[in-house]
Amino acid sequence: MEHALKIERLFVSYLGNQVVKDITFSVKKGSLVGIIGPNGAGKSTLMKAALNLISKDKGDVRIFGEPLKKWKKNIAYVPQRSDIDWDFPITVIDVVLLGTYPKLGLFKRPSKNDKEWARECLKTVGMELFGNRQIGELSGGQQQRVFLARALAQKAELFFLDEPFVGIDVASEETIINILRNLKKEGKTILVVHHDLSKAESYFDHLLLLNQHMIQYGASEEVLQPEVITKAYANQFSFLQPKGVNVTS
Amino acid sequence: MNIINFFEALFQYEFLQKALFTSVMVGIICGIVGCFIILRGMALMGDAISHAVLPGVAISYMLGISFFFGAVITGVLTAIGIGYVSQNSRIKHDMAIGIMFTSMFAVGIVIITLMKSSADLYHILFGNVLAVRMSDMWMTLGIGVLVIGLVVLFYKELLVSTFDPTMAQSYGLPNKWIHYALMVVLTMVTVASLQTVGIVLVVAMLITPAATAYLLTNRLSVMIYLAALFGVIASVFGLYFSFTYNLASGATIVLVSALLFGTAFFFSPTQGLVWKALKARKNRVELMR
Ligand SMILES: Nc1ncnc2c1ncn2[C@@H]1O[C@H](COP(=O)(O)OP(=O)(O)O)[C@@H](O)[C@H]1O
Ligand SMILES: [Mg+2]
């Protein structure tokens, strides 16, 4: 079967400064993949370039063997927290409702069914009581859950999440990982930018370790070997112990 | 002269009716467009574009054509110029804005001065709502209908691309075109506002009513209605003060909207500084007991 996502020889630079270099990997449908690497390694850049949110120098991205364009509306992207304006006049339920927009098309407003569906998604992440709050009036974990609900509302095939576990409480982390596991069971394909090496093995089937270059891609336990990890974090800590080390971004 | 005299005059004089109609329309569209301008962090850009239409207006005057076209052309060229300079050099966006709009504004002043009509310059810069002609009124109405129509039709797209441009782009919305469309709308709003508030103060009508509404609600749709309402209130009362005390209409309209903002700033139920301070004090007192 075709791979859900196939990235070949991807290069990306900002103002002539190359930060993602020659990345090639493919992801099977129904897998939960973690993208790890030190701060500034190019994880977010990789994800954005794969989704054509920033321009790439070179590289090919295929979704189920087809160009990205055909799958745009079936990909849900949850941005890094810092990319959102938390003062924006929008309520929680309306944020989730945005997830129904891609498939509505121009000029159509969300229907009663769409609104019902948004409420259901909000319930899935355990936030149904907060629907009328302004989005900034929530804790970090709650905000992350709301954005996951928005991704769910999109009824996507592929999910891209950038650092969903940063700065959130244990309960929210638990909720989110369980939902991701359920999505995987439904055959969805999920990529997550992540920085906490200690939990990487239990969360993800596959890991992509990068520091500008691709260091290694494979089953989580293979990638989480001390000699592999050291390659990526070499100039960050010489004293590194891979398990239990929390590399904050 | 009081409100009753004003109403009498309103029934009596056609020029006053035209002035009122035009300023109400301007209040509405500035309020609506202003919401998107401030939420997109483009307040400075709004200031720039509104000033940059001056050479376009001047040249149109010279050629004897409607200044609508000249204004839209110079406005959009400035928007493109700002984008070009900041994307292709280390010059930051706000620097590019500062350079481009002052240059355009200076060009406009030179052209108008060469035309030797400083009276016109004064009116373009500060507005002269009592001299609104029938054709101006229709143009303002046309622009108003167009702007409201666009916002109604593309509300969904405007909301996503303003709140989360990355998501908008990821599912295929053309953010760049939405940005330039908004710039075109901005120049049209400026043109519509020329006679009521004048070029120099258009930005106040774009930002102040929208900012007032921003303090009062957590929903974009409500914010848009409130901003339009504040725009109208400012226009009507501003016009009243302008007519009654023979003051420049631009200044009086802007002052009324500033007054509304001040009121919301101190007394907004959720964001108001006064309530916040009282609450903080109450909490402190309770803790001391
Ligand atoms: N918009 C940008 N312009 C210029 N440089 C950027 C931009 N975004 C990120 N970078 C740089 O690119 C590198 C990779 O960034 P990023 O992909 O955000 O890293 P990560 O997500 O792994 O922490 C960093 O060195 C960062 O400073
Ligand atoms: Mg990042």
Side-chain angles (χ1 to χ4, degrees):
Chain A
M1 208 185 76
E2 282 290 355
H3 281 110
L5 169 71
K6 193 167 176 184
I7 291 183
E8 234 165 306
R9 308 222 58 192
L10 183 73
F11 294 78
V12 190
S13 19
Y14 291 112
L15 298 169
N17 188 12
Q18 208 163 57
V19 294
V20 165
K21 298 170 183 168
D22 201 2
I23 306 276
T24 299
F25 69 103
S26 40
V27 178
K28 283 211 198 78
K29 179 172 152 56
S31 26
L32 180 47
V33 176
I35 300 176
I36 54 174
N39 202 8
K43 305 180 296 291
S44 301
T45 306
L46 168 66
M47 199 169 250
K48 285 184 184 161
L51 295 175
N52 214 9
L53 298 172
I54 52 178
S55 56
K56 40 187 182 281
D57 300 342
K58 181 175 183 296
D60 189 46
V61 178
R62 299 254 144 194
I63 310 286
F64 292 108
E66 293 178 310
L68 178 72
K69 224 176 177 174
K70 279 202 163 170
W71 286 87
K72 268 188 169 166
K73 295 181 179 176
N74 284 299
I75 300 174
Y77 171 67
V78 177
Q80 223 169 320
R81 276 183 52 81
S82 53
D83 291 354
I84 297 293
D85 169 12
W86 297 106
D87 286 328
F88 198 92
I90 191 167
T91 55
V92 166
I93 187 69
D94 284 340
V95 170
V96 181
L97 199 58
L98 294 181
T100 65
Y101 285 14
K103 289 179 181 160
L104 273 179
L106 278 180
F107 309 130
K108 285 222 187 76
R109 293 288 173 89
S111 65
K112 226 179 175 173
N113 282 342
D114 293 322
K115 288 178 186 164
E116 199 49 54
W117 170 238
R119 264 193 290 278
E120 216 169 290
C121 293
L122 201 52
K123 207 166 172 185
T124 309
V125 300
M127 289 291 295
E128 67 275 22
L129 296 178
F130 297 84
N132 288 323
R133 288 266 189 103
Q134 193 264 336
I135 185 70
E137 296 168 356
L138 302 177
S139 74
Q142 293 173 326
Q143 288 169 342
Q144 204 65 52
R145 282 194 264 163
V146 171
F147 275 79
L148 181 59
R150 183 179 79 174
L152 294 176
Q154 219 174 316
K155 298 184 178 163
E157 268 310 309
L158 286 92
F159 293 77
F160 288 71
L161 294 85
D162 198 343
E163 305 258 23
F165 302 120
V166 165
I168 73 175
D169 54 293
V170 181
S172 293
E173 180 153 352
E174 195 77 357
T175 312
I176 291 173
I177 194 67
N178 283 333
I179 291 169
L180 296 184
R181 283 177 180 142
N182 281 337
L183 286 172
K184 177 185 145 74
K185 266 186 222 145
E186 292 168 22
K188 312 288 189 194
T189 310
I190 307 127
L191 278 85
V192 180
V193 171
H194 189 61
H195 68 272
D196 184 356
L197 295 179
S198 67
K199 288 183 182 153
E201 187 165 352
S202 60
Y203 283 0
F204 307 109
D205 339 315
H206 281 74
L207 286 177
L208 171 71
L209 175 65
L210 85 161
N211 190 353
Q212 302 199 340
H213 293 279
M214 190 160 100
I215 310 287
Q216 184 140 352
Y217 176 59
S220 301
E221 60 277 11
E222 281 169 39
V223 176
L224 286 171
Q225 295 303 318
E227 60 280 10
V228 179
I229 296 286
T230 322
K231 276 192 223 164
Y233 290 88
N235 39 17
Q236 302 235 326
F237 334 79
S238 41
F239 54 87
L240 185 103
Q241 301 161 321
K243 295 193 178 168
V245 170
N246 191 348
V247 185
T248 41
S249 64
Chain B
M1 186 102 126
N2 55 29
I3 296 265
I4 296 170
N5 296 127
F6 179 66
F7 275 105
E8 273 173 14
L10 196 56
F11 281 109
Q12 216 164 6
Y13 302 117
E14 206 188 301
F15 78 90
L16 203 53
Q17 293 163 8
K18 283 192 219 142
L20 184 71
F21 180 87
T22 316
S23 23
V24 165
M25 206 67 210
V26 166
I28 293 172
I29 55 179
C30 281
I32 296 174
V33 173
C35 289
F36 294 103
I37 299 294
I38 65 168
L39 291 175
R40 288 170 162 256
M42 294 191 340
L44 195 54
M45 192 71 171
D47 197 20
I49 300 298
S50 58
H51 280 74
V53 303
L54 188 60
V57 172
I59 292 169
S60 309
Y61 250 145
M62 221 157 56
L63 300 178
I65 57 173
S66 160
F67 48 68
F68 179 81
F69 302 104
V72 170
I73 290 170
T74 42
V76 172
L77 279 181
T78 310
I80 293 173
I82 289 168
Y84 184 81
V85 169
S86 61
Q87 274 157 31
N88 290 290
S89 69
R90 65 192 295 180
I91 301 290
K92 301 268 182 306
H93 200 64
D94 56 344
M95 292 155 74
I97 290 176
I99 296 165
M100 295 296 287
F101 97 79
T102 46
S103 308
M104 293 296 270
F105 197 60
V107 170
I109 291 177
V110 169
I111 295 177
I112 294 182
T113 316
L114 289 179
M115 283 159 47
K116 295 198 180 63
S117 88
S118 50
D120 287 342
L121 179 65
Y122 186 83
H123 288 155
I124 292 171
L125 295 185
F126 301 109
N128 180 19
V129 71
L130 300 180
V132 171
R133 290 164 306 177
M134 211 59 185
S135 59
D136 301 327
M137 207 177 93
W138 291 126
M139 187 170 74
T140 306
L141 182 66
I143 292 173
V145 170
L146 184 74
V147 168
I148 294 170
L150 284 175
V151 170
V152 170
L153 278 180
F154 296 105
Y155 178 74
K156 209 165 90 262
E157 286 69 26
L158 282 167
L159 170 59
V160 200
S161 76
T162 306
F163 173 59
D164 189 351
T166 321
M167 176 192 181
Q169 200 188 343
S170 80
Y171 79 84
L173 288 187
N175 279 338
K176 212 174 185 172
W177 289 111
I178 296 178
H179 172 81
Y180 283 116
L182 206 59
M183 289 300 113
V184 173
V185 167
L186 197 56
T187 59
M188 295 200 295
V189 170
T190 306
V191 169
S193 318
L194 272 185
Q195 296 207 289
T196 32
V197 285
I199 283 184
V200 176
L201 292 176
V202 172
V203 67
M205 284 308 283
L206 283 166
I207 295 171
T208 313
T212 312
Y214 181 64
L215 289 177
L216 296 174
T217 174
N218 285 332
R219 274 172 222 268
L220 177 60
S221 50
V222 179
M223 178 177 162
I224 291 174
Y225 283 113
L226 281 179
L229 176 70
F230 295 142
V232 169
I233 293 175
S235 297
V236 173
F237 284 93
L239 186 63
Y240 163 72
F241 288 121
S242 165
F243 180 73
T244 309
Y245 301 105
N246 195 23
L247 297 165
S249 55
T252 52
I253 292 175
V254 169
L255 281 177
V256 175
S257 73
L259 205 67
L260 291 173
F261 175 79
T263 312
F265 184 77
F266 289 107
F267 300 106
S268 151
T270 55
Q271 309 288 324
L273 282 197
V274 170
W275 304 146
K276 276 187 194 165
L278 285 179
K279 226 174 173 177
R281 195 172 142 177
K282 195 169 147 242
N283 290 344
R284 270 200 303 274
V285 168
E286 269 166 19
L287 282 175
M288 280 194 307
R289 254 187 247 158

